Amino acid sequence: MKPLIIKHLANILSTFLNTFLKEKSILMSRKRKGSIVKKDGKLYARVQFLDDSNQKRDIWRIAKNKKDAKAKINELLEKSETKTAKELDASRMTFNLLAEFYEENYLHEAIYVNERKISGIRNIKPNQYCLKNLKKCFGNKLIQSIKHADILQYKLKRLNTPLKTGGQRAISGVNRELQILRRVLNIAVRQGWLLKNPFQNGDSLISLADENQRTRILSYEEEVRLFEAIDSNPLRFHLKGIVLVALDCAFRLNEILTLTRKDIDLVNKSITIRALNSKTAKSRTVGMTNRVHIWLKQFQNFQCNERIFPIKYIQTTWQRTLKQAQIEDFHFHDCRATCISRLISIGLPHTEVMRISGHQTLTCLFRYIRADNTTIYRAANALDDYLIRQNQNIPRLNSNLNN
């Protein structure tokens, strides 16, 4: 029994001595005076020590002379005694390093579990483009030195930088870059590398109200010309189905291109957008119109997971078709707005339209409700009818006004 007790006490003593020696070595390493190093004709202040996580630190600061070097050594020694490893990392972290951390941990292809996105981004290319522009401006700048004024200056500079085509850069594009910058800096705050996001230190730098809102929808006459242009070329076979589904179901382009045979219910005349392919990560089911149902029936013998539209891009074909149909200033995404505006104009409640479009808030839905000439005149005619009912002298007053 005694040998076991002695052995146990020996283990405790050994552990205590190892811990004591380790802490002593850390303490001694933290109290080093540092050194003045001359390298490549320049003078540096250098301090080496072990931080609180037992990681070796080697900090260099350029100095003007020996007196300046000694002052910097004392400053670095004070920081090494009081700051944690995370704070030491933050003091020398540049935007490039922060951007690398963001790319490795957040900016990657979306990962799904049971058709639910648990991490990553669905479309990383726009984010990569925005981050590339941000790195050009803030790359070697310490994140703790980025101020609200620096971000404002970046915004103005980007707005004054013309596009490659020579046109004016859109406010919406600059806002997307600022949203990425705000996101990256918020991650720095979450990691303890920043105390406060500089976006919060002044007036709002991102104003969605300043963006130009689209007002274009497709008229019925333009729709007829569009389908005539599509039917004139057999190579535009799939484009016809894509446009039909967009105009009658209010689907986004990516939702259409990812449709498979199992998403199409020809018996109940419905189409289901899976959460995996939806922008809002929520599935929804929409009914088909007769013309959509007739067009999709030709794929009833497709395999379950076979895609209805085996293509990735339509931009070139779409632009050529618009040109042939003599339709100007019409984006493919305007098909979605056209469908939503038509549903509202026939009296469908907003809540039902939101279930079809997949919008989560009325604010988002209202951006897609657009008025055409028919809507404008319908409102005027309704007001005329109201005035006539209220005052039978309205025609006489109108004639007097005309005279």
Side-chain angles (χ1 to χ4, degrees):
M1 193 71 180
K2 288 184 178 180
L4 291 175
I5 295 174
I6 293 172
K7 185 177 180 181
H8 182 64
L9 291 174
N11 290 335
I12 294 175
L13 181 61
S14 176
T15 303
F16 173 77
L17 287 174
N18 288 335
T19 305
F20 174 77
L21 292 173
K22 184 177 179 180
E23 291 180 352
K24 185 177 180 180
S25 65
I26 294 173
L27 185 62
M28 291 178 66
S29 64
R30 278 179 170 251
K31 289 185 176 180
R32 289 186 61 178
K33 294 182 179 179
S35 58
I36 300 175
V37 180
K38 192 172 184 180
K39 186 178 180 182
D40 298 330
K42 295 181 180 180
L43 209 60
Y44 293 90
R46 180 188 184 188
V47 171
Q48 289 181 306
F49 61 94
L50 294 176
D51 62 21
D52 59 331
S53 60
N54 203 27
Q55 296 294 319
K56 186 178 179 181
R57 298 284 173 176
D58 191 2
I59 304 179
W60 296 69
R61 293 289 187 272
I62 192 168
K64 299 176 182 178
N65 48 49
K66 287 188 177 182
K67 183 178 180 180
D68 184 42
K70 289 179 180 180
K72 289 186 182 297
I73 287 173
N74 291 331
E75 181 185 350
L76 293 173
L77 287 171
E78 183 181 354
K79 287 184 178 180
S80 67
E81 290 289 342
T82 59
K83 291 186 177 294
T84 63
K86 188 173 288 187
E87 290 172 330
L88 288 169
D89 287 336
S91 65
R92 61 179 183 176
M93 175 171 281
T94 63
F95 185 81
N96 275 335
L97 293 174
L98 178 60
E100 288 179 10
F101 178 83
Y102 171 70
E103 288 178 304
E104 291 175 4
N105 295 276
Y106 296 91
L107 191 57
H108 56 77
E109 293 289 349
I111 300 174
Y112 298 92
V113 174
N114 296 329
E115 294 193 357
R116 291 288 181 179
K117 183 170 74 72
I118 58 173
S119 69
I121 299 174
R122 296 176 189 276
N123 188 3
I124 65 174
K125 287 186 177 180
N127 295 54
Q128 288 175 334
Y129 173 77
C130 292
L131 195 62
K132 181 181 178 181
N133 291 325
L134 292 169
K135 288 165 73 173
K136 287 180 181 178
C137 179
F138 300 104
N140 294 322
K141 196 176 183 67
L142 295 174
I143 61 172
Q144 292 185 348
S145 68
I146 298 177
K147 307 299 180 186
H148 183 276
D150 298 327
I151 303 174
L152 177 59
Q153 186 178 4
Y154 171 80
K155 177 181 179 179
L156 297 176
K157 181 180 178 181
R158 289 294 291 162
L159 286 173
N160 291 326
T161 303
L163 299 170
K164 291 181 179 179
T165 57
Q168 172 63 47
R169 188 173 298 277
I171 297 176
S172 58
V174 178
N175 280 345
R176 298 298 88 77
E177 295 180 15
L178 293 177
Q179 286 171 343
I180 295 296
L181 178 59
R182 183 175 60 185
R183 163 75 167 152
V184 172
L185 293 176
N186 278 335
I187 291 172
V189 174
R190 199 179 306 154
Q191 293 294 325
W193 297 326
L194 272 180
L195 293 177
K196 188 177 181 181
N197 193 323
F199 273 86
Q200 301 173 357
N201 293 331
D203 297 334
S204 176
L205 293 167
I206 303 174
S207 176
L208 298 181
D210 293 336
E211 297 182 7
N212 292 328
Q213 301 294 336
R214 295 282 299 170
T215 59
R216 186 76 160 87
I217 60 174
L218 195 69
S219 67
Y220 183 76
E221 292 75 13
E222 288 176 324
E223 182 180 322
V224 172
R225 297 204 307 269
L226 178 63
F227 282 114
E228 286 177 352
I230 292 175
D231 292 335
S232 67
N233 190 338
L235 296 177
R236 296 170 182 168
F237 168 75
H238 284 106
L239 181 62
K240 181 174 183 178
I242 291 171
V243 175
L244 279 173
V245 174
L247 285 173
D248 292 2
C249 301
F251 289 163
R252 302 175 180 91
L253 179 59
N254 183 67
E255 294 173 340
I256 298 173
L257 297 182
T258 52
L259 285 174
T260 60
R261 176 61 184 87
K262 68 179 180 181
D263 301 325
I264 311 298
D265 187 347
L266 294 173
V267 176
N268 296 312
K269 296 179 64 175
S270 65
I271 305 175
T272 299
I273 299 297
R274 290 176 288 163
L276 177 69
N277 300 321
S278 173
K279 181 180 178 180
T280 57
K282 292 185 178 181
S283 63
R284 67 184 190 277
T285 301
V286 177
M288 303 180 196
T289 57
N290 288 330
R291 62 179 182 175
V292 171
H293 182 255
I294 292 171
W295 195 88
L296 288 176
K297 280 180 70 176
Q298 51 195 317
F299 303 101
Q300 58 186 341
N301 295 325
F302 269 36
Q303 296 297 320
C304 186
N305 292 318
E306 192 171 354
R307 288 173 56 186
I308 301 297
F309 305 103
I311 53 179
K312 292 184 178 180
Y313 308 102
I314 66 166
Q315 188 62 22
T316 303
T317 305
W318 173 250
Q319 291 299 329
R320 289 175 179 172
T321 306
L322 290 178
K323 186 176 181 180
Q324 181 179 339
Q326 297 181 347
I327 299 174
E328 298 180 351
D329 187 33
F330 189 76
H331 302 169
F332 182 83
H333 201 60
D334 293 333
C335 292
R336 177 171 162 84
T338 300
C339 178
I340 293 172
S341 299
R342 288 176 177 178
L343 293 175
I344 293 294
S345 67
I346 61 178
L348 210 63
H350 291 72
T351 51
E352 293 185 21
V353 176
M354 287 173 65
R355 292 188 62 180
I356 295 171
S357 65
H359 288 120
Q360 303 299 304
T361 64
L362 283 171
T363 303
C364 292
L365 177 68
F366 287 158
R367 296 182 66 181
Y368 287 83
I369 300 176
R370 303 169 185 176
D372 57 3
N373 291 334
T374 305
T375 307
I376 295 170
Y377 292 123
R378 187 167 65 247
N381 293 334
L383 187 58
D384 281 338
D385 292 339
Y386 169 80
L387 293 173
I388 290 173
R389 287 196 303 270
Q390 297 298 320
N391 190 341
Q392 295 300 322
N393 294 326
I394 289 295
R396 181 176 57 80
L397 290 175
N398 284 338
S399 61
N400 293 335
L401 289 174
N402 291 332
N403 294 330

